[in-house]
Amino acid sequence: MRSVHLSYLLLFLIAVGVVLAVSSPDGTSDSYWLLRIKSKLVDPYGVLENWSEGTSICTWNGVACLDDKSHIVRLNLSSSGLEGPISPEIAHLTSLRVIDLSDNFLNGTIPAALGELHDLEELLLFSNFLTGLIPMEIGRLRKLQVLRIGANMLTGQVIPQIGNLSELRVLALAYCQFSGKIPYEVGKLKHLISLDLQKNSLSGPIPEAIGGCRNLQNFAASNNKIGGQIPASIGQLESLEILNLANNSFSGSIPVELSHLSSLKYLNLFGNDLEGEIPFELNQLVQLETLDLSNNNLSGAVRLLNTQLKNLVTLVLSGNSLTGSIPRNFCLGGSSLSLLILADNKLFGNFPLEVLNCTSLRQLDLSSNSFGGTLPRGLDRLESLTDLLLNNNSFSGTIPPEIGNLTNLEDLYLFHNMVTGGIPVEIGKLQRLHELYLYENQLSGGIPRELMNCSSLVRVDFFGNHFSGPIPDNIGSLKNLVILQLRQNELSGSIPSSLGYCRKLQKLALADNKLSGSVPSTFRFLSELDLITLYNNSLEGPLPESLSLLKNLSKVNFSHNKFSGSIFPFAGSNSLTALDLTNNSFSGPIPSELASSKILTRLRLANNFFTGEIPSEFGQLKDLRFLDLSFNNLTGDLAPSLAGLKNLGHFLLGSNQLSGAIPTWLGGIEGLGELDLSFNNFTGTVPVELGNSPKLLKLSLSHNRLSGAIPQELGNLTSLNVLNLQRNNLSGSIPSTLQKCQKLFELRLSENNLTGPIPYELGSLSELQVILDLSKNHLSGEIPSSIGNLVKLERLNLSFNQLQGKVPQSLGRLSSLHRLNLSYNHLQGQIPSTFSGFPLSSFIGNNHNLCGPPLLSCSELKGHERIWQLSKASAVGITVAIVFTATVICMVLLYIMLRIWCNWRKVTISCSETGGFEGKSREGENWVYGEEIKSGQYWKTTSLVTSKEKQTSKGTCMFHHSVSSSDSTEKPLV
């Protein structure tokens, strides 16, 4: 019994001993300090739940003691979801050798008190949210072998005290915000194996002292701002296996000394400013597996040989200025080269056949060079090839049918070459093909039905070729198709209904072809469709109602077709960002339901037959930037609710039947760049508020019924390029404030009722180029000489005004002018000699007061003026002579008519007395002719009268009436 009591006593004493042993030097137990540390942390997952008094500390989660349980030597709470600061009280756990608090949500700074843990060998605080500087006290941890504090928000410099950590093997400071230089004290770390400084803002050069880290195996300093030359001392790191200096600002040449790194397996110098040739000595790196020298300024030939770099798997030289081709002995049998990327250089020549010896190649990228010639038929020797990128070269000829033997091929990029002919039917054997990019070539013929056997196809792009014929009706077998781009070809026929069974399709582009028919109703199955473009075809008919089921539609362009009917099917998508139905035959009202697509940014419905008013609901489209409803039959006013279009940049309503006043709220759209309300029935004045649109580039209000003056405030539109107010009823003068529109290159104010002079200030619009048209107004005064400053002006029209004075000779400086009209004014004097090439019609209607080619010369014009002055007196004399002559002739005719009347009266009286003149007439006839013959002279006046009287008496009496006796005795007038 006594022995039992002794046993219990012994156990009690041991327990007390352990508790006393696991205590800090000041007598407080480690459990006390751990509980204090716990009290400052948030433990959402209950990792620290068993940290409680009354239990052995060595059983607590994350705590490890020595075998004799005399000391706490390890604290590992990594990936525990802990939040809060690291308590400085952790320094009381003086026996700690390992602290791992990585991958939590700890914040605050790194406690300087950690420098008191003199036995600490590993400190892992990476992947938290720690801030502040690296405490200098870290330099006291002389036994520290691993320091990993990266992936935090630490700032400041890498402290030079790091050099005091003589036992350090791993230094990981990556993914922070450190700045400044790499301290040269790093070179003192003789046992350092891994140095990771990636993804900071370090600058300056790499210190030459880095060569002192003779055991260094991993040196990563990529994604910083380190500059200068790569130090040659790196060549002394004979144990180095990984050297990553990518994405920095290194300059100069690649040091030849790197060839001494006989253990090097990974060398990445991507994204620097290195220049010169690739050192041939790099071929000595026989252990090298990955070499990336891309995105530098390297030049010269490719001098690397896979025949020597036998372990090389990845070679990336893209984005340089390398020239020539690939060396003949580049690759021999048994090569391990899997990835060869030579893109974006200046390599030239035919397809490098040397590459075909690299039979283990999986990825070959020769894109964006100057290779030409035909593609070799031996491409199928690269039987392991998965990616073949030959785009952006000058390859010609046809696609070799042997390409169908590359059964592992997944990606084929041949775009932007000059390949001709058709697609070989053998391509249908590529069952693993995912991406086929053939765009921007000169391929022709039909799309082979065999292509539809490539059931793994995800993306197909044939844009910009000459493919013709129909789209294969078995295209629906491409069940994995996500992108189909056939735009800008010569495809004809209808859209196959089987296309609707490509249910994964997200982007469909069939625009710029010769397709006809209607949209298949099977498109209702394309539930994932995001983009569809069918513009520039001959598609027709109404839209299928089932299109309203496509809820994911974002971008739609059916413009320039023959579609008709309603556009209501497009109102079913709430995801629309762009809808373009320009130039069709759609009719009816514009559905207000389109406003349900709150993210709509672009809506173009121009050149259709829409009627009714603009839906007031459109004011809810807060993101709308482009609205084009021009060339329709829309009526009504602009609803006040449209003032909600605060982000509108282009507002085009021209050529409709809209009416009412132009709303003032248009001036409140700060981003408005284009406003076209032309060819409508708007009335009232031009709102002064339009002057509040600082980004307005084009303002067209022409062909309306606007009245009043042009607002002075339009001069505030300092970004304006086009101002068109022609054919309205505007009055008043042209505001001189327009001179502030210094970017104006088109100004049209014609066909209004503007008065006053042309402002001299218009001559300061030095960018005015397209036209200055002030014609058909009532402008007066002289043409300002400042117009001659508009040296870029191509068309000037001042016709049909009341301008006067001389044409300024300064207008002769308008060397770009190719159309001029000064007609129908009151101009005078000599026109500039440079105007001689313009037609006469440019100057007519100025009262013949202008002179100089192409008109009369000024000297000829003066001569004509003198002649004109003389001819005025002559004309008066001629006029008087003509009037006098006419008067005399009239008097003579009147006299003759009076005599004839008297003789007629006498004959009438004789007829009434004797009944005839037959006997007397015969006697008179003999007398007249006898007298005339006898005398041989012309008739005298008396004989003429006598003869007329006798001739008159020959005929029988035509009138029989009685006369008075007094008349019968009257003698004839002589």
Side-chain angles (χ1 to χ4, degrees):
M1 190 69 166
R2 185 176 177 182
S3 62
V4 173
H5 288 292
L6 290 173
S7 298
Y8 281 120
L9 181 61
L10 183 61
L11 289 173
F12 174 76
L13 292 174
I14 292 173
V16 171
V18 169
V19 171
L20 291 176
V22 187
S23 301
S24 55
D26 61 1
T28 307
S29 67
D30 286 353
S31 63
Y32 171 81
W33 295 117
L34 286 175
L35 291 175
R36 294 266 304 186
I37 293 170
K38 174 184 175 180
S39 67
K40 297 180 181 179
L41 296 174
V42 177
D43 180 19
Y45 302 111
V47 175
L48 307 180
E49 280 185 359
N50 70 339
W51 285 26
S52 60
E53 295 180 1
T55 60
S56 173
I57 190 173
C58 296
T59 63
W60 290 3
N61 288 337
V63 175
C65 304
L66 287 176
D67 292 340
D68 61 1
K69 299 183 180 181
S70 60
H71 297 286
I72 300 172
V73 293
R74 179 183 293 270
L75 180 62
N76 186 351
L77 297 174
S78 64
S79 304
S80 298
L82 299 175
E83 303 175 23
I86 300 173
S87 173
E89 293 169 319
I90 198 171
H92 293 285
L93 305 174
T94 55
S95 298
L96 278 175
R97 296 178 184 176
V98 175
I99 298 177
D100 188 352
L101 302 178
S102 62
D103 195 20
N104 282 288
F105 299 92
L106 302 176
N107 52 39
T109 60
I110 298 175
L114 287 174
E116 302 299 325
L117 301 174
H118 298 296
D119 290 331
L120 197 64
E121 296 176 357
E122 296 183 19
L123 178 58
L124 293 83
L125 304 178
F126 63 89
S127 295
N128 280 287
F129 293 92
L130 300 173
T131 56
L133 309 177
I134 301 175
M136 291 185 294
E137 290 77 4
I138 293 291
R140 299 176 183 174
L141 304 176
R142 300 301 176 97
K143 295 182 180 180
L144 196 65
Q145 298 179 19
V146 178
L147 177 59
R148 297 183 63 188
I149 57 176
N152 278 288
M153 302 168 65
L154 300 170
T155 56
Q157 296 186 348
V158 179
I159 58 174
Q161 288 79 2
I162 290 287
N164 299 332
L165 307 177
S166 56
E167 299 297 321
L168 199 64
R169 285 167 171 76
V170 175
L171 176 59
L173 308 178
Y175 295 92
C176 288
Q177 300 172 23
F178 294 121
S179 57
K181 298 180 179 181
I182 300 173
Y184 73 89
E185 289 82 359
V186 169
K188 299 178 180 181
L189 304 176
K190 306 300 182 181
H191 300 291
L192 195 64
I193 295 174
S194 177
L195 175 59
D196 191 353
L197 305 175
Q198 297 180 93
K199 202 71 176 179
N200 281 287
S201 297
L202 299 172
S203 57
I206 294 176
E208 287 283 347
I210 195 72
C213 304
R214 293 301 178 92
N215 292 310
L216 196 62
Q217 296 177 13
N218 174 22
F219 181 23
S222 62
N223 295 288
N224 280 283
K225 301 176 182 178
I226 304 171
Q229 295 189 347
I230 298 174
S233 61
I234 288 183
Q236 301 171 15
L237 306 177
E238 296 179 355
S239 299
L240 198 64
E241 296 180 3
I242 297 174
L243 177 58
N244 187 354
L245 304 179
N247 280 322
N248 279 286
S249 300
F250 291 110
S251 57
S253 59
I254 299 173
V256 176
E257 289 78 5
L258 294 185
S259 63
H260 301 157
L261 303 175
S262 57
S263 299
L264 198 64
K265 296 179 180 180
Y266 180 94
L267 175 57
N268 191 346
L269 303 180
F270 160 82
N272 283 283
D273 296 318
L274 299 170
E275 57 189 10
E277 295 188 349
I278 300 172
F280 184 78
E281 290 80 2
L282 293 186
N283 288 299
Q284 300 174 20
L285 301 175
V286 293
Q287 300 297 323
L288 198 63
E289 297 175 0
T290 298
L291 175 59
D292 190 345
L293 305 180
S294 59
N295 286 36
N296 280 282
N297 298 317
L298 300 173
S299 57
V302 177
R303 307 178 69 189
L304 299 171
L305 303 175
N306 190 221
T307 51
Q308 297 186 38
L309 301 173
K310 294 182 179 180
N311 290 308
L312 196 63
V313 175
T314 300
L315 177 58
V316 184
L317 303 178
S318 57
N320 283 287
S321 298
L322 300 174
T323 57
S325 189
I326 295 175
R328 291 184 178 181
N329 55 345
F330 176 76
C331 213
L332 295 177
S335 166
S336 301
L337 193 62
S338 175
L339 189 149
L340 176 60
I341 300 180
L342 303 177
D344 196 16
N345 277 286
K346 299 179 180 179
L347 301 173
F348 55 85
N350 292 330
F351 184 97
L353 298 178
E354 294 75 16
V355 172
L356 301 182
N357 295 325
C358 304
T359 53
S360 59
L361 270 180
R362 294 179 58 82
Q363 297 180 13
L364 174 60
D365 188 352
L366 303 180
S367 63
S368 299
N369 279 286
S370 298
F371 289 116
T374 59
L375 299 177
R377 300 179 70 92
L379 272 174
D380 56 351
R381 291 169 57 186
L382 303 176
E383 56 185 18
S384 300
L385 205 61
T386 60
D387 299 275
L388 178 58
L389 290 76
L390 304 177
N391 52 283
N392 294 94
N393 278 287
S394 299
F395 290 116
S396 58
T398 60
I399 300 174
E402 288 79 6
I403 205 163
N405 297 329
L406 298 174
T407 53
N408 291 306
L409 199 63
E410 297 177 2
D411 300 321
L412 176 57
Y413 290 10
L414 293 178
F415 63 87
H416 202 79
N417 277 286
M418 295 185 289
V419 181
T420 57
I423 300 174
V425 296
E426 288 80 2
I427 205 166
K429 296 189 292 184
L430 304 179
Q431 297 292 314
R432 297 183 180 181
L433 194 63
H434 291 162
E435 296 184 357
L436 179 57
Y437 288 167
L438 304 179
Y439 64 86
E440 291 183 338
N441 276 286
Q442 299 176 23
L443 295 166
S444 58
I447 298 174
R449 294 175 58 86
E450 289 79 5
L451 181 62
M452 309 311 140
N453 296 330
C454 302
S455 55
S456 299
L457 270 174
V458 176
R459 297 173 183 86
V460 174
D461 193 340
F462 293 170
F463 162 79
N465 280 284
H466 304 290
F467 290 116
S468 58
I471 300 172
D473 56 10
N474 60 339
I475 194 171
S477 61
L478 300 179
K479 303 298 183 183
N480 295 304
L481 200 61
V482 173
I483 296 176
L484 178 60
Q485 168 66 276
L486 302 179
R487 184 167 73 89
Q488 202 168 313
N489 279 282
E490 299 172 16
L491 298 171
S492 58
S494 59
I495 301 174
S497 59
S498 68
L499 186 57
Y501 301 122
C502 300
R503 295 173 183 260
K504 294 183 180 180
L505 201 61
Q506 296 178 12
K507 301 186 187 303
L508 175 61
L510 305 179
D512 290 312
N513 279 288
K514 300 177 181 179
L515 299 173
S516 57
S518 59
V519 176
S521 59
T522 54
F523 273 24
R524 66 183 181 276
F525 301 126
L526 302 177
S527 57
E528 297 185 25
L529 197 63
D530 165 64
L531 177 148
I532 178 170
T533 62
L534 304 179
Y535 59 88
N536 285 342
N537 280 289
S538 297
L539 299 167
E540 58 188 3
L543 301 175
E545 291 292 333
S546 56
L547 288 182
S548 61
L549 300 175
L550 306 183
K551 303 298 183 181
N552 290 316
L553 269 183
S554 171
K555 297 178 179 64
V556 178
N557 192 339
F558 282 17
S559 64
H560 301 279
N561 278 287
K562 301 176 183 178
F563 290 115
S564 58
S566 173
I567 65 170
F568 189 79
F570 288 125
S573 174
N574 296 330
S575 304
L576 278 177
T577 60
L579 176 61
D580 191 344
L581 305 178
T582 303
N583 200 18
N584 279 284
S585 297
F586 291 114
S587 58
I590 298 174
S592 60
E593 289 80 0
L594 287 175
S596 62
S597 292
K598 303 298 183 183
I599 56 175
L600 193 64
T601 61
R602 190 178 185 89
L603 179 59
R604 303 192 65 180
L605 305 178
N607 289 91
N608 281 285
F609 299 100
F610 292 114
T611 56
E613 298 185 353
I614 300 173
S616 59
E617 292 81 357
F618 279 9
Q620 303 170 16
L621 300 174
K622 306 299 182 183
D623 294 327
L624 195 64
R625 289 175 172 79
F626 201 117
L627 179 58
D628 186 359
L629 306 178
S630 55
F631 294 95
N632 280 288
N633 297 315
L634 300 173
T635 56
D637 300 343
L638 298 183
S641 61
L642 296 179
L645 300 173
K646 295 296 185 181
N647 289 309
L648 205 59
H650 302 267
F651 196 19
L652 311 179
L653 302 178
S655 298
N656 279 286
Q657 300 176 28
L658 300 169
S659 57
I662 296 177
T664 58
W665 51 258
L666 286 171
I669 304 177
E670 293 184 0
L672 192 63
E674 183 178 13
L675 177 61
D676 189 350
L677 305 179
S678 60
F679 292 92
N680 278 287
N681 297 316
F682 288 109
T683 55
T685 59
V686 177
V688 297
E689 289 79 4
L690 290 180
N692 300 329
S693 302
K695 296 183 180 179
L696 199 61
L697 300 177
K698 178 181 178 181
L699 176 59
S700 181
L701 307 179
S702 67
H703 296 81
N704 279 287
R705 301 177 183 177
L706 301 173
S707 57
I710 299 174
Q712 299 276 344
E713 289 77 4
L714 294 188
N716 298 330
L717 304 177
T718 54
S719 298
L720 199 64
N721 295 149
V722 176
L723 177 59
N724 189 349
L725 303 178
Q726 69 182 22
R727 195 170 288 189
N728 279 285
N729 296 316
L730 300 172
S731 56
S733 60
I734 299 173
S736 59
T737 55
L738 290 181
Q739 67 173 316
K740 294 188 291 183
C741 303
Q742 286 295 307
K743 296 182 179 179
L744 206 62
F745 62 77
E746 181 176 341
L747 178 58
R748 299 175 187 265
L749 304 178
S750 62
E751 299 183 68
N752 281 287
N753 295 313
L754 301 174
T755 56
I758 299 173
Y760 186 87
E761 293 80 1
L762 291 187
S764 65
L765 301 176
S766 57
E767 296 300 317
L768 205 58
Q769 178 178 352
V770 177
I771 192 171
L772 172 59
D773 190 353
L774 307 179
S775 63
K776 297 184 179 178
N777 280 287
H778 304 290
L779 300 173
S780 57
E782 297 184 350
I783 300 174
S785 59
S786 62
I787 299 296
N789 298 330
L790 308 179
V791 293
K792 296 181 180 179
L793 194 62
E794 296 175 356
R795 290 184 287 174
L796 175 62
N797 192 347
L798 305 179
S799 63
F800 291 95
N801 279 288
Q802 300 174 18
L803 301 172
Q804 57 190 11
K806 295 183 178 181
V807 178
Q809 291 299 312
S810 61
L811 266 60
R813 298 198 299 265
L814 302 179
S815 56
S816 300
L817 203 64
H818 58 78
R819 287 191 184 179
L820 172 68
N821 196 344
L822 303 178
S823 62
Y824 296 99
N825 280 285
H826 304 299
L827 301 171
Q828 61 183 4
Q830 184 173 3
I831 62 176
S833 59
T834 54
F835 287 179
S836 60
F838 293 109
L840 292 172
S841 57
S842 297
F843 309 101
I844 62 173
N846 282 285
N847 299 325
H848 303 286
N849 289 329
L850 291 175
C851 62
L855 304 172
L856 293 175
S857 65
C858 294
S859 58
E860 290 176 325
L861 181 63
K862 290 180 181 178
H864 278 274
E865 287 177 354
R866 289 193 217 95
I867 294 172
W868 181 250
Q869 291 172 356
L870 293 173
S871 62
K872 285 184 179 179
S874 303
V876 172
I878 292 171
T879 303
V880 171
I882 292 173
V883 172
F884 176 77
T885 304
T887 302
V888 172
I889 292 172
C890 289
M891 292 294 290
V892 171
L893 291 174
L894 182 62
Y895 172 74
I896 292 172
M897 290 177 65
L898 183 61
R899 290 299 303 270
I900 291 172
W901 179 80
C902 292
N903 289 336
W904 174 79
R905 180 178 178 84
K906 180 177 180 181
V907 171
T908 302
I909 294 172
S910 301
C911 288
S912 64
E913 291 179 351
T914 62
F917 288 90
E918 190 173 349
K920 186 175 180 180
S921 182
R922 217 180 276 118
E923 180 181 355
E925 184 180 350
N926 294 333
W927 180 78
V928 170
Y929 287 104
E931 182 69 22
E932 184 179 10
I933 295 171
K934 180 179 179 181
S935 62
Q937 297 175 354
Y938 293 107
W939 295 343
K940 296 180 182 180
T941 303
T942 53
S943 64
L944 177 62
V945 174
T946 305
S947 299
K948 286 185 178 181
E949 289 175 355
K950 289 179 180 177
Q951 289 174 1
T952 302
S953 63
K954 279 182 65 179
T956 58
C957 186
M958 297 176 60
F959 300 97
H960 300 280
H961 61 276
S962 59
V963 293
S964 60
S965 56
S966 60
D967 292 334
S968 62
T969 59
E970 184 176 348
K971 294 181 180 179
L973 295 173
V974 179

